[in-house]
Amino acid sequence: MNSVIQVRNLTKRYKDALALDGVSFDIEQDAIYGLLGRNGAGKTTAMSILTAQNLPTSGEVRVFGENPYENARVLSRMCFVRESQKYPDDATPRHAFAAARLFFPRWDQGLADELIDDFQLPLKRTIKKLSRGQLSAVGVIIGLASRAEVTFFDEPYLGLDAVARQIFYDRLLADYAEVPRTILLSSHLIDEVSNLIERVLLIDAGRIIMDESAEDARALATNVVGDAAAVERAVNGREVIHREGLGRVASVTFLGRLDGAERAAVVADGLELAPVSLQQLIVRLTQQRSGRDRSTGDAFASTGSDADTQEGSLR
Amino acid sequence: MDEGKPLFVQIAEQVEASILDGSIAEESQAPSTNELAVFHRINPATAAKGVNMLVDKGVLYKRRGIGMFVARGARDLLLKERRSDFAERYVQPLLAEARRIGLGPEDVADLVRTGAGVSPAKP
């Protein structure tokens, strides 16, 4: 595969905060990436530097083999849909689309018109007066209809209801299938996008902690549930990333998979094995790294505390 | 979809099910990678992996410039595979559950013979 973006030792420091800490990664051509991580992890900073809306403190960024900064040749081939996009005070969606049409050489007006219809977007109201969801729709329409060779969607769904988000995902997939291109999608709604993305880049505290195919990421961890003593025997010597218990029943998530024989032994012991969804894996990995020690003893102590709100232990 | 199996395997199994039940006949065109991706709302690369798995297995073949087609003999091939998997996929779990609730293989055989809907134990 060709890579369209190369990032080497990229560091971004704001006054006293390190937003990106020497990250390196490649983005392959014509793949859909999920750029995932907690708030403040560095996702938006990375995207703004790649699209030359921000300068790195140090390190190197190449897009289509060139430095993107003040480089019109490169910039017209990229589209950055950001959550906090600003428009002139008196601009309407119609103005925004007209400007996008001039800027993006591969703009598809037919697609834009269909999307305007899908999202029932009022074209003549000023953008200032649009609802949060309608404002997001403007960004989504520009991102899709620009058909840019590299498109960044930075949490494009704010204010969009479940129906509108589904329209976005369906349109994204259908148009990507028709016109393959490189897409980076940052999202907190991991369950919603996990089947759409081909690769996962997970950023945590300014570092890349996972760069995997989505398929491989789903196989990174295993969950085993059952009698606590039997569970402990089964996970002995493995890297445990989460533990919780209810009475004599324990549910433990560990990194790695079991082979056929190990699997059979665990099942024979009366335990149940479950896969770990991408969302659960990412919650576990980023929660574990934020503050707490990696030792299993500490992970054990974390049962039921702070960030456990999303747990779906009753599967 | 079932979280337990890789997505591409699930896609392949769905296409196989359509071939087995005859809704896609042999020598007729199979759904394209993009059609599968859009229908199942998954990444086209994942759908392609499922389709390639079926090509490797000899269930689908590619006609240049037209698309994927169901191979002659694909249905028999799948039937054979399903039958050899039947014990592991259905009979073993059935016997394991029977054991847990105190039914022996003979009790299970009786239930199968008399029909699954007829319960021997009246409340």
Side-chain angles (χ1 to χ4, degrees), chain A residues 100-255:
Chain A
R101 183 178 189 166
L102 290 175
F103 185 76
F104 296 107
R106 308 208 302 177
W107 178 263
D108 188 301
Q109 187 60 42
L111 177 60
D113 291 338
E114 287 174 32
L115 291 165
I116 289 164
D117 206 40
D118 281 354
F119 288 111
Q120 297 166 13
L121 185 70
L123 283 178
K124 291 178 183 164
R125 197 173 300 169
T126 58
I127 292 178
K128 224 169 40 173
K129 287 188 179 155
L130 296 181
S131 71
R132 179 64 244 194
Q134 289 169 329
L135 181 62
S136 291
V138 173
V140 162
I141 293 169
I142 290 174
L144 290 174
S146 68
R147 286 190 166 163
E149 286 164 74
V150 179
T151 308
F152 298 83
F153 288 103
D154 187 9
E155 294 182 43
Y157 49 73
L158 288 181
L160 293 180
D161 63 22
V163 175
R165 292 202 301 277
Q166 194 62 61
I167 293 172
F168 168 55
Y169 301 138
D170 287 354
R171 285 299 196 155
L172 174 70
L173 262 189
D175 203 59
Y176 167 79
E178 202 179 313
V179 185
R181 54 214 201 246
T182 308
I183 289 164
L184 275 92
L185 176 62
S186 108
S187 177
H188 291 297
L189 306 176
I190 301 170
D191 277 341
E192 288 190 3
V193 302
S194 68
N195 290 350
L196 305 185
I197 59 184
E198 186 176 342
R199 291 195 66 88
V200 178
L201 273 178
L202 178 59
I203 305 192
D204 195 46
R207 290 165 176 271
I208 302 276
I209 63 168
M210 189 196 295
D211 181 356
E212 292 274 358
S213 78
E215 194 78 53
D216 291 345
R218 266 188 282 268
L220 276 179
T222 309
N223 174 255
V224 53
V225 183
D227 177 72
V231 168
E232 287 311 321
R233 277 199 301 280
V235 302
N236 185 28
R238 297 186 177 272
E239 189 177 351
V240 170
I241 56 172
H242 186 72
R243 269 190 170 85
E244 57 191 1
L246 180 66
R248 289 187 53 207
V249 175
S251 166
V252 174
T253 303
F254 60 90
L255 291 180

Side-chain angles (χ1 to χ4, degrees), chain A residues 239-241 243 288 292-302:
Chain A
E239 189 177 351
V240 170
I241 56 172
R243 269 190 170 85
Q288 184 194 29
R292 243 173 266 282
D293 230 17
R294 289 180 68 98
S295 81
T296 46
D298 254 8
F300 196 80
S302 79

Side-chain angles (χ1 to χ4, degrees), chain A residues 32 166 170 173-174 176-178 195-198 215 218 257 275-277, chain B residues 1 3-8 34 37-38 40-46 49:
Chain A
I32 303 180
Q166 194 62 61
D170 287 354
L173 262 189
Y176 167 79
E178 202 179 313
N195 290 350
L196 305 185
I197 59 184
E198 186 176 342
E215 194 78 53
R218 266 188 282 268
R257 292 227 113 177
V276 177
S277 74
Chain B
M1 283 196 209
E3 280 280 318
K5 285 179 189 165
L7 269 177
F8 71 93
N34 284 346
V38 170
H40 293 291
R41 301 190 156 130
I42 56 167
N43 189 288
T46 310
K49 217 169 153 188

Side-chain angles (χ1 to χ4, degrees), chain B residues 1 12 16-17 24 26 28 35 60-61 67 69 76 80 82 95 97 101 103 116 121:
Chain B
M1 283 196 209
E16 289 181 349
I24 313 176
E26 292 181 3
S28 71
E35 285 167 347
L60 300 182
Y61 69 97
F69 284 75
D76 273 348
K80 218 175 272 171
R82 287 282 174 112
L95 290 176
E97 172 65 9
I101 59 172
L103 293 177

